[in-house]
PDB file of all heavy atoms in Angstrom:
ATOM      1  N   TYR A 266       0.895   4.712  -2.463  1.00 61.00           N
ATOM      2  CA  TYR A 266       0.913   6.120  -2.063  1.00 61.00           C
ATOM      3  C   TYR A 266       2.114   6.849  -2.670  1.00 61.00           C
ATOM      4  O   TYR A 266       2.020   7.996  -3.097  1.00 61.00           O
ATOM      5  CB  TYR A 266       0.951   6.251  -0.532  1.00 61.00           C
ATOM      6  CG  TYR A 266      -0.383   5.961   0.100  1.00 61.00           C
ATOM      7  CD1 TYR A 266      -0.485   5.105   1.196  1.00 61.00           C
ATOM      8  CD2 TYR A 266      -1.553   6.552  -0.400  1.00 61.00           C
ATOM      9  CE1 TYR A 266      -1.706   4.837   1.770  1.00 61.00           C
ATOM     10  CE2 TYR A 266      -2.772   6.276   0.175  1.00 61.00           C
ATOM     11  CZ  TYR A 266      -2.839   5.424   1.266  1.00 61.00           C
ATOM     12  OH  TYR A 266      -4.056   5.165   1.828  1.00 61.00           O
ATOM     13  N   LEU A 269       1.327   7.678  -6.114  1.00 61.00           N
ATOM     14  CA  LEU A 269       0.366   8.778  -6.198  1.00 61.00           C
ATOM     15  C   LEU A 269       1.023  10.123  -5.902  1.00 61.00           C
ATOM     16  O   LEU A 269       0.708  11.141  -6.527  1.00 61.00           O
ATOM     17  CB  LEU A 269      -0.797   8.543  -5.237  1.00 61.00           C
ATOM     18  CG  LEU A 269      -1.842   7.557  -5.754  1.00 61.00           C
ATOM     19  CD1 LEU A 269      -2.852   7.228  -4.664  1.00 61.00           C
ATOM     20  CD2 LEU A 269      -2.547   8.116  -6.981  1.00 61.00           C
ATOM     21  N   PHE A 276       1.561  16.258 -11.733  1.00 65.00           N
ATOM     22  CA  PHE A 276       0.373  17.065 -11.927  1.00 65.00           C
ATOM     23  C   PHE A 276       0.713  18.493 -11.483  1.00 65.00           C
ATOM     24  O   PHE A 276       1.277  18.711 -10.427  1.00 65.00           O
ATOM     25  CB  PHE A 276      -0.746  16.491 -11.058  1.00 65.00           C
ATOM     26  CG  PHE A 276      -1.889  17.416 -10.811  1.00 65.00           C
ATOM     27  CD1 PHE A 276      -2.736  17.785 -11.841  1.00 65.00           C
ATOM     28  CD2 PHE A 276      -2.123  17.905  -9.549  1.00 65.00           C
ATOM     29  CE1 PHE A 276      -3.797  18.625 -11.606  1.00 65.00           C
ATOM     30  CE2 PHE A 276      -3.176  18.751  -9.310  1.00 65.00           C
ATOM     31  CZ  PHE A 276      -4.017  19.111 -10.337  1.00 65.00           C
ATOM     32  N   GLY A 277       0.391  19.459 -12.253  1.00 68.00           N
ATOM     33  CA  GLY A 277       0.772  20.830 -11.919  1.00 68.00           C
ATOM     34  C   GLY A 277       1.973  21.286 -12.698  1.00 68.00           C
ATOM     35  O   GLY A 277       2.438  22.390 -12.519  1.00 68.00           O
ATOM     36  N   CYS A 278       2.468  20.415 -13.573  1.00 78.00           N
ATOM     37  CA  CYS A 278       3.607  20.815 -14.397  1.00 78.00           C
ATOM     38  C   CYS A 278       3.188  20.888 -15.859  1.00 78.00           C
ATOM     39  O   CYS A 278       2.201  20.316 -16.275  1.00 78.00           O
ATOM     40  CB  CYS A 278       4.751  19.821 -14.244  1.00 78.00           C
ATOM     41  SG  CYS A 278       5.496  19.868 -12.608  1.00 78.00           S
ATOM     42  N   LYS A 280       4.698  22.953 -19.858  1.00 81.00           N
ATOM     43  CA  LYS A 280       5.532  24.007 -20.426  1.00 81.00           C
ATOM     44  C   LYS A 280       4.863  25.365 -20.223  1.00 81.00           C
ATOM     45  O   LYS A 280       3.704  25.548 -20.590  1.00 81.00           O
ATOM     46  CB  LYS A 280       5.766  23.730 -21.903  1.00 81.00           C
ATOM     47  CG  LYS A 280       6.647  22.516 -22.133  1.00 81.00           C
ATOM     48  CD  LYS A 280       6.869  22.267 -23.609  1.00 81.00           C
ATOM     49  CE  LYS A 280       7.743  21.029 -23.806  1.00 81.00           C
ATOM     50  NZ  LYS A 280       7.872  20.654 -25.213  1.00 81.00           N
ATOM     51  N   LYS A 281       5.662  26.304 -19.669  1.00 84.00           N
ATOM     52  CA  LYS A 281       5.077  27.598 -19.321  1.00 84.00           C
ATOM     53  C   LYS A 281       4.721  28.434 -20.545  1.00 84.00           C
ATOM     54  O   LYS A 281       3.933  29.366 -20.461  1.00 84.00           O
ATOM     55  CB  LYS A 281       6.052  28.387 -18.444  1.00 84.00           C
ATOM     56  CG  LYS A 281       6.268  27.776 -17.076  1.00 84.00           C
ATOM     57  CD  LYS A 281       7.292  28.589 -16.313  1.00 84.00           C
ATOM     58  CE  LYS A 281       7.547  27.974 -14.941  1.00 84.00           C
ATOM     59  NZ  LYS A 281       8.585  28.717 -14.207  1.00 84.00           N
ATOM     60  N   LYS A 283       3.644  27.121 -23.490  1.00 90.00           N
ATOM     61  CA  LYS A 283       2.714  26.425 -24.394  1.00 90.00           C
ATOM     62  C   LYS A 283       1.324  26.499 -23.776  1.00 90.00           C
ATOM     63  O   LYS A 283       1.151  26.180 -22.596  1.00 90.00           O
ATOM     64  CB  LYS A 283       3.126  24.955 -24.541  1.00 90.00           C
ATOM     65  CG  LYS A 283       4.369  24.752 -25.379  1.00 90.00           C
ATOM     66  CD  LYS A 283       3.992  24.537 -26.826  1.00 90.00           C
ATOM     67  CE  LYS A 283       5.193  24.047 -27.629  1.00 90.00           C
ATOM     68  NZ  LYS A 283       4.817  23.727 -29.010  1.00 90.00           N
ATOM     69  N   MET A 285      -3.134  26.049 -24.287  1.00 94.00           N
ATOM     70  CA  MET A 285      -4.180  25.336 -25.011  1.00 94.00           C
ATOM     71  C   MET A 285      -4.678  26.145 -26.194  1.00 94.00           C
ATOM     72  O   MET A 285      -4.930  25.593 -27.272  1.00 94.00           O
ATOM     73  CB  MET A 285      -5.353  25.026 -24.066  1.00 94.00           C
ATOM     74  CG  MET A 285      -5.078  23.915 -23.056  1.00 94.00           C
ATOM     75  SD  MET A 285      -4.752  22.325 -23.823  1.00 94.00           S
ATOM     76  CE  MET A 285      -6.367  21.923 -24.471  1.00 94.00           C
ATOM     77  N   ALA A 290      -6.332  26.540 -34.514  1.00 94.00           N
ATOM     78  CA  ALA A 290      -5.781  26.913 -35.823  1.00 94.00           C
ATOM     79  C   ALA A 290      -5.816  28.431 -36.011  1.00 94.00           C
ATOM     80  O   ALA A 290      -6.858  29.053 -35.824  1.00 94.00           O
ATOM     81  CB  ALA A 290      -6.574  26.242 -36.932  1.00 94.00           C
ATOM     82  N   THR A 291      -4.675  29.000 -36.319  1.00 93.00           N
ATOM     83  CA  THR A 291      -4.590  30.437 -36.616  1.00 93.00           C
ATOM     84  C   THR A 291      -3.842  30.618 -37.929  1.00 93.00           C
ATOM     85  O   THR A 291      -3.050  29.767 -38.328  1.00 93.00           O
ATOM     86  CB  THR A 291      -3.853  31.213 -35.511  1.00 93.00           C
ATOM     87  OG1 THR A 291      -2.558  30.641 -35.339  1.00 93.00           O
ATOM     88  CG2 THR A 291      -4.605  31.200 -34.205  1.00 93.00           C
ATOM     89  N   GLN A 292      -4.122  31.727 -38.541  1.00 92.00           N
ATOM     90  CA  GLN A 292      -3.467  31.997 -39.826  1.00 92.00           C
ATOM     91  C   GLN A 292      -3.186  33.489 -39.898  1.00 92.00           C
ATOM     92  O   GLN A 292      -4.041  34.310 -39.541  1.00 92.00           O
ATOM     93  CB  GLN A 292      -4.395  31.592 -40.968  1.00 92.00           C
ATOM     94  CG  GLN A 292      -3.692  31.515 -42.289  1.00 92.00           C
ATOM     95  CD  GLN A 292      -4.582  30.919 -43.374  1.00 92.00           C
ATOM     96  OE1 GLN A 292      -5.758  30.664 -43.166  1.00 92.00           O
ATOM     97  NE2 GLN A 292      -4.021  30.733 -44.534  1.00 92.00           N
ATOM     98  N   ILE A 294      -3.157  37.095 -41.123  1.00 90.00           N
ATOM     99  CA  ILE A 294      -4.031  37.814 -42.050  1.00 90.00           C
ATOM    100  C   ILE A 294      -3.233  38.244 -43.271  1.00 90.00           C
ATOM    101  O   ILE A 294      -3.716  38.205 -44.391  1.00 90.00           O
ATOM    102  CB  ILE A 294      -4.636  39.051 -41.357  1.00 90.00           C
ATOM    103  CG1 ILE A 294      -5.596  38.619 -40.260  1.00 90.00           C
ATOM    104  CG2 ILE A 294      -5.348  39.942 -42.360  1.00 90.00           C
ATOM    105  CD1 ILE A 294      -6.079  39.764 -39.414  1.00 90.00           C
ATOM    106  N   TYR A 615       4.346  40.760 -36.296  1.00 90.00           N
ATOM    107  CA  TYR A 615       5.087  39.774 -37.086  1.00 90.00           C
ATOM    108  C   TYR A 615       5.495  40.327 -38.453  1.00 90.00           C
ATOM    109  O   TYR A 615       6.242  39.684 -39.184  1.00 90.00           O
ATOM    110  CB  TYR A 615       4.300  38.469 -37.231  1.00 90.00           C
ATOM    111  CG  TYR A 615       3.009  38.555 -38.006  1.00 90.00           C
ATOM    112  CD1 TYR A 615       2.986  38.451 -39.385  1.00 90.00           C
ATOM    113  CD2 TYR A 615       1.792  38.734 -37.350  1.00 90.00           C
ATOM    114  CE1 TYR A 615       1.809  38.511 -40.089  1.00 90.00           C
ATOM    115  CE2 TYR A 615       0.605  38.801 -38.038  1.00 90.00           C
ATOM    116  CZ  TYR A 615       0.615  38.684 -39.408  1.00 90.00           C
ATOM    117  OH  TYR A 615      -0.566  38.756 -40.100  1.00 90.00           O
TER     118      TYR A 615
ATOM    119  N   ASN B 211      -0.519  20.462  -4.795  1.00 43.00           N
ATOM    120  CA  ASN B 211      -0.951  19.286  -5.530  1.00 43.00           C
ATOM    121  C   ASN B 211      -0.993  18.039  -4.659  1.00 43.00           C
ATOM    122  O   ASN B 211      -1.733  17.100  -4.931  1.00 43.00           O
ATOM    123  CB  ASN B 211      -0.018  19.038  -6.715  1.00 43.00           C
ATOM    124  CG  ASN B 211      -0.063  20.183  -7.684  1.00 43.00           C
ATOM    125  OD1 ASN B 211      -1.082  20.872  -7.754  1.00 43.00           O
ATOM    126  ND2 ASN B 211       1.016  20.402  -8.409  1.00 43.00           N
ATOM    127  N   GLN B 222      -8.136   6.062   4.541  1.00 46.00           N
ATOM    128  CA  GLN B 222      -7.410   4.792   4.682  1.00 46.00           C
ATOM    129  C   GLN B 222      -7.066   4.510   6.141  1.00 46.00           C
ATOM    130  O   GLN B 222      -7.236   3.393   6.624  1.00 46.00           O
ATOM    131  CB  GLN B 222      -6.134   4.829   3.837  1.00 46.00           C
ATOM    132  CG  GLN B 222      -5.284   3.571   3.930  1.00 46.00           C
ATOM    133  CD  GLN B 222      -6.035   2.337   3.442  1.00 46.00           C
ATOM    134  OE1 GLN B 222      -6.807   2.414   2.485  1.00 46.00           O
ATOM    135  NE2 GLN B 222      -5.861   1.208   4.130  1.00 46.00           N
ATOM    136  N   THR B 282       1.586  18.273 -18.291  1.00 92.00           N
ATOM    137  CA  THR B 282       2.242  16.977 -18.091  1.00 92.00           C
ATOM    138  C   THR B 282       1.249  15.946 -17.585  1.00 92.00           C
ATOM    139  O   THR B 282       1.296  14.786 -17.959  1.00 92.00           O
ATOM    140  CB  THR B 282       3.382  17.120 -17.072  1.00 92.00           C
ATOM    141  OG1 THR B 282       4.203  18.184 -17.489  1.00 92.00           O
ATOM    142  CG2 THR B 282       4.177  15.844 -16.969  1.00 92.00           C
ATOM    143  N   GLY B 284      -2.680  15.485 -14.969  1.00 94.00           N
ATOM    144  CA  GLY B 284      -3.763  16.137 -14.259  1.00 94.00           C
ATOM    145  C   GLY B 284      -4.373  15.228 -13.214  1.00 94.00           C
ATOM    146  O   GLY B 284      -3.962  14.076 -13.042  1.00 94.00           O
ATOM    147  N   PHE B 310      -8.899  17.739 -13.798  1.00 95.00           N
ATOM    148  CA  PHE B 310      -8.331  19.067 -13.531  1.00 95.00           C
ATOM    149  C   PHE B 310      -6.849  19.084 -13.891  1.00 95.00           C
ATOM    150  O   PHE B 310      -6.089  18.205 -13.483  1.00 95.00           O
ATOM    151  CB  PHE B 310      -8.515  19.373 -12.038  1.00 95.00           C
ATOM    152  CG  PHE B 310      -8.012  20.715 -11.608  1.00 95.00           C
ATOM    153  CD1 PHE B 310      -8.713  21.873 -11.906  1.00 95.00           C
ATOM    154  CD2 PHE B 310      -6.832  20.832 -10.881  1.00 95.00           C
ATOM    155  CE1 PHE B 310      -8.259  23.111 -11.487  1.00 95.00           C
ATOM    156  CE2 PHE B 310      -6.357  22.064 -10.462  1.00 95.00           C
ATOM    157  CZ  PHE B 310      -7.080  23.210 -10.771  1.00 95.00           C
ATOM    158  N   THR B 312      -3.538  21.917 -14.192  1.00 93.00           N
ATOM    159  CA  THR B 312      -3.084  23.292 -13.957  1.00 93.00           C
ATOM    160  C   THR B 312      -1.576  23.344 -14.109  1.00 93.00           C
ATOM    161  O   THR B 312      -0.874  22.342 -13.918  1.00 93.00           O
ATOM    162  CB  THR B 312      -3.513  23.800 -12.569  1.00 93.00           C
ATOM    163  OG1 THR B 312      -3.144  25.171 -12.447  1.00 93.00           O
ATOM    164  CG2 THR B 312      -2.842  23.003 -11.453  1.00 93.00           C
ATOM    165  N   LYS B 313      -1.101  24.530 -14.458  1.00 91.00           N
ATOM    166  CA  LYS B 313       0.343  24.757 -14.549  1.00 91.00           C
ATOM    167  C   LYS B 313       0.582  26.249 -14.563  1.00 91.00           C
ATOM    168  O   LYS B 313      -0.317  27.045 -14.843  1.00 91.00           O
ATOM    169  CB  LYS B 313       0.903  24.126 -15.833  1.00 91.00           C
ATOM    170  CG  LYS B 313       0.408  24.806 -17.085  1.00 91.00           C
ATOM    171  CD  LYS B 313       1.447  24.806 -18.166  1.00 91.00           C
ATOM    172  CE  LYS B 313       1.085  25.859 -19.201  1.00 91.00           C
ATOM    173  NZ  LYS B 313       1.109  25.408 -20.551  1.00 91.00           N
ATOM    174  N   ASP B 316       3.493  31.623 -18.425  1.00 82.00           N
ATOM    175  CA  ASP B 316       4.111  32.944 -18.568  1.00 82.00           C
ATOM    176  C   ASP B 316       3.344  33.762 -19.596  1.00 82.00           C
ATOM    177  O   ASP B 316       3.423  33.523 -20.791  1.00 82.00           O
ATOM    178  CB  ASP B 316       5.574  32.811 -19.018  1.00 82.00           C
ATOM    179  CG  ASP B 316       6.464  32.467 -17.848  1.00 82.00           C
ATOM    180  OD1 ASP B 316       6.028  32.686 -16.700  1.00 82.00           O
ATOM    181  OD2 ASP B 316       7.576  31.968 -18.079  1.00 82.00           O
ATOM    182  N   GLU B 323      -2.574  28.433 -15.828  1.00 92.00           N
ATOM    183  CA  GLU B 323      -3.508  27.977 -16.861  1.00 92.00           C
ATOM    184  C   GLU B 323      -4.214  26.744 -16.328  1.00 92.00           C
ATOM    185  O   GLU B 323      -3.568  25.847 -15.770  1.00 92.00           O
ATOM    186  CB  GLU B 323      -2.796  27.644 -18.170  1.00 92.00           C
ATOM    187  CG  GLU B 323      -3.800  27.206 -19.240  1.00 92.00           C
ATOM    188  CD  GLU B 323      -3.183  26.917 -20.600  1.00 92.00           C
ATOM    189  OE1 GLU B 323      -1.950  26.853 -20.696  1.00 92.00           O
ATOM    190  OE2 GLU B 323      -3.973  26.765 -21.559  1.00 92.00           O
ATOM    191  N   GLY B 428      -3.267  40.411 -35.959  1.00 90.00           N
ATOM    192  CA  GLY B 428      -3.021  40.067 -37.354  1.00 90.00           C
ATOM    193  C   GLY B 428      -3.210  38.601 -37.681  1.00 90.00           C
ATOM    194  O   GLY B 428      -2.715  38.139 -38.702  1.00 90.00           O
ATOM    195  N   THR B 430      -6.103  35.379 -38.048  1.00 92.00           N
ATOM    196  CA  THR B 430      -7.469  34.878 -37.978  1.00 92.00           C
ATOM    197  C   THR B 430      -7.428  33.586 -37.185  1.00 92.00           C
ATOM    198  O   THR B 430      -6.588  32.722 -37.430  1.00 92.00           O
ATOM    199  CB  THR B 430      -8.043  34.594 -39.378  1.00 92.00           C
ATOM    200  OG1 THR B 430      -7.138  33.756 -40.091  1.00 92.00           O
ATOM    201  CG2 THR B 430      -8.255  35.878 -40.148  1.00 92.00           C
ATOM    202  N   ALA B 432      -9.641  30.267 -35.704  1.00 95.00           N
ATOM    203  CA  ALA B 432     -10.879  29.510 -35.854  1.00 95.00           C
ATOM    204  C   ALA B 432     -11.741  29.689 -34.615  1.00 95.00           C
ATOM    205  O   ALA B 432     -11.222  29.725 -33.501  1.00 95.00           O
ATOM    206  CB  ALA B 432     -10.553  28.034 -36.072  1.00 95.00           C
ATOM    207  N   GLN B 435     -12.645  24.466 -32.686  1.00 96.00           N
ATOM    208  CA  GLN B 435     -11.461  23.633 -32.926  1.00 96.00           C
ATOM    209  C   GLN B 435     -11.655  22.296 -32.223  1.00 96.00           C
ATOM    210  O   GLN B 435     -11.949  22.253 -31.023  1.00 96.00           O
ATOM    211  CB  GLN B 435     -10.208  24.324 -32.382  1.00 96.00           C
ATOM    212  CG  GLN B 435      -8.950  23.495 -32.466  1.00 96.00           C
ATOM    213  CD  GLN B 435      -8.390  23.452 -33.889  1.00 96.00           C
ATOM    214  OE1 GLN B 435      -8.339  24.476 -34.568  1.00 96.00           O
ATOM    215  NE2 GLN B 435      -7.980  22.285 -34.340  1.00 96.00           N
TER     216      GLN B 435
END
Side-chain angles (χ1 to χ4, degrees):
Chain A
Y266 284 132
L269 281 172
F276 162 68
C278 292
K280 291 180 181 174
K281 293 177 181 177
K283 287 269 192 175
M285 287 298 290
T291 57
Q292 194 172 6
I294 293 172
Y615 65 85
Chain B
N211 297 333
Q222 179 61 37
T282 308
F310 181 75
T312 185
K313 67 146 198 229
D316 280 341
E323 181 177 11
T430 52
Q435 175 76 44

